Structures are given as structure tokens and as C-alpha cells.
Amino acid sequence: MKTIIEPFRIKVVEPIRLTTPEERRGLLAKAGWNLFALHADDVIIDLLTDSGTSAMSAEQWAAVMRGDESYAGSPSFYRFEAAVRELMPFRHVIPAHQGRAAEAILFSIVGGPGKVIPSNTHFDTTRGNIEATGATAVDLVIGEAHDFESPHPFKGNMDLARLERLLSEQGEHVPIVMLTVTNNAGGGQPVSLASIRSTAEIARRHGKPLIIDGCRFAENAWFVKCREPGQSGRSVKDIVRDMFAVADGMTMSAKKDAFANIGGWLALNDEKLAAAARNRLILTEGFPTYGGLAGRDLDAIAVGLGEIVDEQYLRYRVRTNEYIGEKLTALGVPIVRPVGGHAVFVDARRFLPQIPPLQYPGQSLAVALYESGGIRSCEIGTVMFGLKPDGSEVPAEMDLVRLAMPRRVYTQSHADYLVEVFEEVAGRRERLKGLRIVSQPRQLRHFTARFEPLA
Ligand SMILES: Cc1ncc(COP(=O)(O)O)c(C=O)c1O
């Protein structure tokens, strides 16, 4: 088979400042060995997140110029609404400035003390917004999701038996059922159409609305097309429509599968819920035809939604991560398999067995990748999850490093460079040491903690 090339040409470029390892050692010390504290200009390849980091197309930039900034009834809103409803046929589409704003509005209405909200795996902002209302967020993903080696094609699937049990035993406390596609907190793993339909069927039987967190809906649909029996001959667009046809609403961050740098929405079928959401929106985000966004942002999203379901793009997108995954595996770097849609996850605990979890093997690997090659990645492990509300510290379930791919930003030679940097780090892996934390906040410490390498 021929190389799957980037299905785009480059018209506008952003220079990358090429730093030296010596310079980067100084920058790391200044940043307290926390990659969030680096200036982005000092990063060669930035794989911190795929959120809001997409390159917009010429058509999106043209749409930005068409954006209409009327306070109420902007044509940009109607173009945005039509583009959403072309894929996700919900009756009410309510814009918000990002995904977590849509979540905050939804849970301010359906959450509250004593409520229980299940999902395959809640993303951290979703969990945060649920818990902020006093409700409990419950993760019910299938067991295979926790096995990095399991080749299960849909490791994001809901454990249907556990969902059924939860609804039978505690149904009166459950206001909605959620489902995250793809399952970001579980490694960007997809959810099958069959699992989405079964989840919807169980929710409906118990009288509960199903709300899909659809941030990476197009990547999910591509996996359905490639992996689910009977789906290969269908268009991604049709699969997307099927995914949402059985749901009662969705939350969305347009910073992912809408190619936008900002934005999101809450979509609902229920009239009463939508009216309550719009009232809340007016309090916190803005009038319902702009919801915290500029008209030009709504237009960029509208065009992005048309582009994201392009199958040439999705083939290249998913292949990029597979390519990196294959090369890392050949180097003996343990990764979570199969690779997800938006990122490659490296098992730092297995890669650096000499570093105990409480000396942060994920942070050590992330720091080494920056030092060797100027690559910024993200620790997802004991630094992120190890600090408990009572101030105690325990090892997280796993210590991973996430290499998240911005959309349409990097080329294959950037991927090859990343692999070369890993090769260099793998060559000195036995000599890598852990770190200790010298200062940290009480919550979400990964963003601002300062570290010191252990001697
Ligand atoms: C699955 C999922 N849900 C919700 C969000 C929140 O979106 P935002 O960053 O736009 O607030 C994210 C962001 O990473 C996500 O990945």
C-alpha cells in the first residue's frame, strides 16, 4: 500500500524555534520541571493536548471573515446550528464557549446532592462539574479497558451489565446516563455503534435520557467503520448520524472534532430541559445565539464540522498515531494498545521500572523527552491523580505519558523525529531518575506543582 500522506498542503507556516539540550535543561529548571510552566515558544513539538490546537483550513479562515457579530439572531448562529443538526439531529442546539461550560450548564440542572451519574469514563472536567453540584460520577467502562495489552477493538464500551445493575438498584438517583466517545480518559478508545445502541436501550427502558459527550465523534465513527462488523461500506457521516440518533442530547467541545480553536455546545431534545439550559446560559455565557462565542467562532465550527467527517482526513489522522505506535513498539517502548484516535499513551511505569510511582515515572519520562528533543507531552498518572482531598498521596492506577496529536499540524517527519527522540531516551532509560515535589496546590496539582530531580 502507498504511504498515507497528509491530505493537505501548507500555505501558512509557523516557525519552530530549535533549542539545544543545554538550553532546555536551563528552561526545565526555571519551570520547576513542570512542562505546563514552559513557554510554548520553547517547545519544538507540542503534544500536550489535541484540544484547541488544530490548524484551521482556508475555508474556515474565510468563514471567520463572514462571521456576523450581531448580539441576537446572528446568521453565524444559524449556519452553526444547521451544521450541527446535519450530523446530530437534536431539536435544541445551545452554543457555549467550550465543552466544560456546556457540562456546567447541564449538571447545574440535572445534578445535585445524592444524584448518581454513570458513564463509560467521565472526562475530568465532566467529573469535576458533576461533583461540584454534590452528585457522584460513576465510571462503568468494560474490564478490557484496564488491560493495556488487550486487543479489544472497542475498549471504550460501556459495561452494560453494570449499567443495568446500577439503574435497577439506584435508578431513582440517576437523572441521566452519559457516554464519552471516544473515551478520552480511557486512552481515546472507541465505543461501538452496537454498544451505543444498547446503552441507549437500557437508559430508555429505565426512563433516563442518554447524553453523549461527543468531543471526538468523527474519530469514533471512523473506528466503527474500520472495526465493527457490517459498517465498512457505510459513510462516516451516516455512522455519526446513527450514533446520535439514539441519544437524547450531547455535550461537545468544538476544540476537538470541529477543528476549532474555541467553542462547544449542549444539544437536547427535551423542551423543558433546553429552556432551563438557555436560562442558565444567559446568566453565565451569553445570549442563546452566541453562548460566549464570537459569531466568527460559530462560523469556523460550522465549516470545521463539514471537514472533520472527510474520510481521507480520518484515515490519515488515525494512521499517524498507529505509525508512531508501531515505531515505539519496535523500539521496545510499552504503549497502550490498540492506539487511540487522538493520542499515543506510553506506559511509563513499565518503561522505567526503577522509578517507584511516588517518584513519578511519567513525569520523569515527560521531562526526558523535553530535555532530549524539545517534545512536550503530558503525564497522566500519579502526579495528576495521586493527591487525595485529605492531603495524602497514593500511586495512581497507572503512570502514563500521553502524546496527543494536534489536528492537521504536524507531518510525518515530525513523527519520525519524535521516534528518534524516544530512541535516544530509551538508550539512557536505566539512568533516568524520579523527581520529588517541592511545592503544590491542594487541587489539580499537575498544572502548577514544582519539582526537583532526585540525585
Ligand atoms: C472527553 C472530553 N470531554 C470534555 C472535555 C472538555 O472540553 P473543553 O476543554 O472544551 O472544556 C474534554 C477536553 O479535553 C474532553 O476530552
Side-chain angles (χ1 to χ4, degrees):
M1 195 169 75
K2 292 207 181 82
T3 302
I4 296 170
I5 61 169
E6 289 83 5
F8 48 81
R9 296 181 297 189
I10 297 165
K11 181 151 71 180
V12 176
V13 296
E14 273 187 288
I16 295 175
R17 194 171 83 79
L18 298 176
T19 50
T20 63
E22 198 188 359
E23 215 178 321
R24 291 193 291 270
R25 278 191 279 277
L27 292 164
L28 276 170
K30 217 169 120 200
W33 287 271
N34 185 334
L35 305 184
F36 282 99
L38 290 171
H39 290 206
D41 278 353
D42 296 329
V43 174
I44 294 180
I45 298 189
D46 204 343
L47 308 182
L48 188 65
T49 177
D50 67 319
S51 178
T53 53
S54 298
M56 292 216 296
S57 67
E59 287 303 321
Q60 282 181 292
W61 283 111
V64 163
M65 290 308 295
R66 256 194 318 274
D68 178 279
E69 305 305 336
S70 304
Y71 189 94
S74 161
S76 298
F77 169 76
Y78 294 107
R79 287 190 284 266
F80 157 80
E81 184 188 48
V84 173
R85 295 181 67 190
E86 170 75 10
L87 296 170
M88 299 109 177
F90 296 114
R91 277 201 277 283
H92 304 278
V93 182
I94 300 166
H97 81 274
Q98 41 183 112
R100 69 199 69 185
E103 292 165 357
I105 290 170
L106 175 66
F107 298 121
S108 73
I109 302 165
V110 303
K115 299 277 174 61
V116 176
I117 301 177
S119 184
N120 46 353
T121 313
H122 291 285
F123 181 66
D124 58 9
T125 59
T126 322
R127 174 176 292 278
N129 273 300
I130 291 171
E131 290 174 351
T133 72
T136 306
V138 179
D139 296 335
L140 299 176
V141 73
I142 55 168
E144 285 88 342
H146 305 294
D147 175 0
F148 296 165
E149 295 296 325
S150 162
H152 195 293
F154 292 104
K155 281 168 131 176
N157 281 359
M158 182 79 94
D159 185 329
L160 300 170
R162 285 166 71 208
L163 177 64
E164 183 77 63
R165 199 172 332 128
L166 180 90
L167 289 171
S168 302
E169 290 171 3
Q170 303 184 52
E172 74 273 25
H173 303 298
V174 178
I176 59 168
V177 173
M178 289 211 60
L179 190 63
T180 315
V181 302
T182 59
N183 192 21
N184 183 10
Q189 300 290 330
V191 183
S192 70
L193 195 50
S195 180
I196 295 174
R197 286 178 170 150
S198 301
T199 303
E201 190 277 313
I202 294 172
R204 196 171 317 110
R205 197 155 25 78
H206 288 268
K208 309 297 175 190
L210 171 66
I211 307 291
I212 294 182
D213 174 342
C215 290
R216 297 177 182 82
F217 70 88
E219 289 167 11
N220 198 82
W222 177 253
F223 283 123
V224 166
K225 181 179 168 98
C226 296
R227 297 181 185 171
E228 191 158 343
Q231 299 296 329
S232 63
R234 305 188 60 221
S235 74
V236 161
K237 208 164 162 177
D238 283 345
I239 295 170
V240 169
R241 287 183 179 138
D242 282 0
M243 283 162 48
F244 291 97
V246 294
D248 302 285
M250 71 181 292
T251 56
M252 176 74 188
S253 167
K255 300 171 76 173
K256 284 80 173 179
D257 274 1
F259 282 136
N261 302 125
I262 196 71
W265 67 84
L266 170 65
L268 295 163
N269 279 337
D270 185 84
E271 195 76 40
K272 267 204 193 134
L273 215 53
R278 285 201 181 96
N279 285 340
R280 183 82 198 169
L281 184 86
I282 290 172
L283 266 183
T284 58
E285 293 279 291
F287 192 72
T289 58
Y290 73 86
L293 293 168
R296 63 181 79 100
D297 300 323
L298 293 166
D299 267 306
I301 295 169
V303 174
L305 284 175
E307 294 176 353
I308 201 85
V309 289
D310 172 12
E311 300 188 10
Q312 299 302 335
Y313 159 75
L314 288 166
R315 177 177 289 114
Y316 136 81
R317 167 80 173 153
V318 167
R319 179 63 200 147
T320 305
N321 291 331
E322 280 170 1
Y323 175 83
I324 294 167
E326 285 162 14
K327 299 263 175 180
L328 294 188
T329 302
L331 285 176
V333 177
I335 60 164
V336 176
R337 283 191 287 190
V339 294
H342 68 291
V344 177
F345 289 74
V346 178
D347 185 352
R349 200 177 280 178
R350 259 177 72 203
F351 186 65
L352 301 174
Q354 75 276 21
I355 303 180
L358 292 182
Q359 293 178 11
Y360 319 122
Q363 190 69 17
S364 172
L365 174 57
V367 164
L369 291 171
Y370 179 72
E371 187 186 333
S372 279
I375 288 160
R376 177 154 70 168
S377 55
C378 186
E379 191 263 9
I380 304 212
T382 303
V383 175
M384 196 177 266
F385 301 117
L387 184 63
K388 299 294 147 196
D390 66 2
S392 63
E393 199 186 23
V394 291
E397 218 174 289
M398 48 207 174
D399 280 295
L400 302 178
V401 167
R402 185 182 72 181
L403 310 164
M405 281 292 147
R407 294 170 180 76
R408 301 191 294 207
V409 170
Y410 294 115
T411 65
Q412 187 171 341
S413 77
H414 292 111
D416 288 331
Y417 172 83
L418 167 69
V419 173
E420 284 167 18
V421 172
F422 259 98
E423 197 169 359
E424 193 182 305
V425 171
R428 60 186 177 97
R429 68 203 264 184
E430 274 103 33
R431 280 175 280 134
L432 290 183
K433 300 246 176 3
L435 301 106
R436 72 182 190 91
I437 290 179
V438 292
S439 69
Q440 63 181 2
R442 292 294 299 264
Q443 282 162 328
L444 297 173
R445 66 175 176 176
H446 53 288
F447 290 122
T448 53
R450 291 183 69 84
F451 299 83
E452 220 172 58
L454 291 167

